[in-house]
């Protein structure tokens, strides 16, 4: 049986490859982005309560009202934006799903979609699975800012979507207010729809503030904003997220969603709603900043070079220029199999596997894990 090639990515996603290699070799896993510490006890208890008290059947297609209310209240409090609970938010089985669904609303064969590289590895396949052409633009190293002239030059009459991600995986870069204003100028008088991947919105450091697309009135009216509870509540395996978008966009989103997954996991929605509303969730921002700081100070004892501290996300890039000149893929494999620490090679985030000899560490880990990993790296 020959199945059609729906996208150009070959092989298995790097996150699966590196996590499997870490398991096989008993390496400390700083590759795939997931925390290794427990979730809040209250949240776990709410999940049990949901299952024990009969919240086990399909939730309404847009998501449990109690969760949609809790999220909208939270955004009002944190960003002072009003979101209509009935017509502007849809709970999804994770942000990856939300991104695919949003692309599917917008793209048709022959369209073009712009993305900024290095990029989360589902973007290009998702664009191509909808018959459209991915137009990757490289961010400017070493701080991975957007070269807006390049973005402007990439816009054609076929450009239908642009996806962005801030705080950024894998570089930890964060957009400024000026970035948003420049994007607004570029897309003015075009048909471009924005997909704003803000899954790390609460993981931002050094006193910086996350600007959401929802705060920018001109952009908000042409955007799908995508979020993941996994990053905020340290439960990536629950695969629950949401999409916030204007009414017409949400209607289009739900037309696809109702026939793709129909709804998202009910007990998880119940637990997240009650935890969010209780106000007792741990301060994930402070916890993650502390981890970033610890990791940066420990890394000073290793031969790795850190050109730019992560300003947000779970991730820190590091250069191994002082260790050897292997390709980043070979280096990541060698580090896992020979030195017991798994990371992600950054070439995996480029369509053309551009190799800048950088690897990504995930610091969303317990202090013991980070210390044990650096103990191994120190001897390189
Ligand atoms: N976008 C980015 C930039 C990510 O790093 C991830 C991975 N967590 C996602 C989207 C997907 O999130 P989820 O696990 O909710 O699908
Ligand atoms: N977003 C996570 C990362 O970048 C992984 C998600 C996945 O495994 N697809 O590591």
């Amino acid at each position: 049986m020959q199945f059609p090639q729906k996208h150009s990515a070959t092989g298995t996603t790097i996150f699966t490859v590196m996590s499997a290699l870490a398991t096989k070799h008993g390496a400390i896993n700083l590759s795939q982005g997931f925390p290794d510490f427990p979730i809040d006890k209250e949240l776990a208890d709410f999940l049990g309560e949901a299952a024990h008290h009969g919240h086990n059947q399909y939730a309404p297609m847009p998501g449990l009202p109690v969760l949609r209310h809790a999220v909208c209240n939270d955004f009002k409090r944190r960003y002072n934006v009003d979101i209509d609970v009935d017509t502007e938010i849809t709970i999804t089985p994770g942000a990856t799903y939300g991104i695919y669904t949003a692309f599917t609303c917008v793209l048709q064969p022959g369209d073009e979609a712009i993305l900024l590289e290095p990029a989360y590895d589902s973007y290009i396949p998702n664009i191509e699975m909808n018959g459209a052409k991915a137009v990757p633009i490289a961010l400017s190293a070493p701080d991975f800012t957007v070269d807006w002239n390049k973005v402007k030059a990439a816009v054609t009459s076929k450009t239908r979507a642009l996806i962005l991600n801030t705080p950024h995986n894998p570089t930890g870069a964060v957009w400024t207010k000026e970035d948003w204003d420049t994007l607004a100028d570029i897309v003015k008088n075009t048909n471009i729809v924005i997909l704003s991947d803000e899954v790390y919105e609460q993981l931002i450091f050094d006193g910086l503030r996350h600007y959401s697309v929802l705060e920018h009135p001109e952009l908000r009216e042409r955007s799908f904003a995508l979020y993941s509870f996994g990053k905020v509540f340290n439960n990536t395996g629950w695969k629950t997220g949401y999409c916030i978008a204007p009414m017409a966009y949400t209607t289009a989103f739900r037309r696809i969603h109702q026939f793709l997954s129909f709804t998202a996991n009910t007990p998880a929605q119940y637990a997240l709603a009650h935890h969010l509303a209780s106000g007792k969730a741990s301060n994930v921002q402070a916890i993650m900043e502390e981890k970033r700081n610890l990791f940066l100070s420990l890394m000073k004892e290793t031969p790795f070079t850190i050109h730019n501290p992560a300003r947000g996300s779970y991730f820190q890039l590091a250069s191994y220029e002082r260790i050897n000149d292997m390709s980043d893929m070979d280096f990541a494999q060698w580090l896992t199999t020979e030195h017991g620490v798994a990371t992600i090679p950054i070439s995996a985030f480029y369509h053309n596997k551009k190799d800048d000899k950088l690897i990504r560490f995930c610091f969303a880990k317990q202090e013991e894990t980070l210390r044990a990993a650096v103990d191994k790296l120190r001897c390189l």
Side-chain angles (χ1 to χ4, degrees), residues 39-49 238 271 274-282:
I39 63 171
D40 281 2
K41 183 176 177 309
E42 183 191 68
L43 179 57
D45 289 344
F46 278 133
L47 186 67
E49 183 179 299
W238 288 23
H274 288 85
H275 190 48
L276 202 50
S278 82
K280 289 195 204 139
S282 320

Side-chain angles (χ1 to χ4, degrees), residues 13 15-16 31-34 96 120-121 169 200 231 239 314-315 344 349 360:
T13 154
F15 308 115
T16 298
S31 64
Q32 195 175 20
F34 63 87
T96 310
Y120 184 50
D121 71 347
N169 176 10
Y200 300 101
K231 309 294 167 188
K239 287 299 293 188
Y314 275 176
F315 307 114
I344 301 283
F349 295 80
R360 186 194 83 176

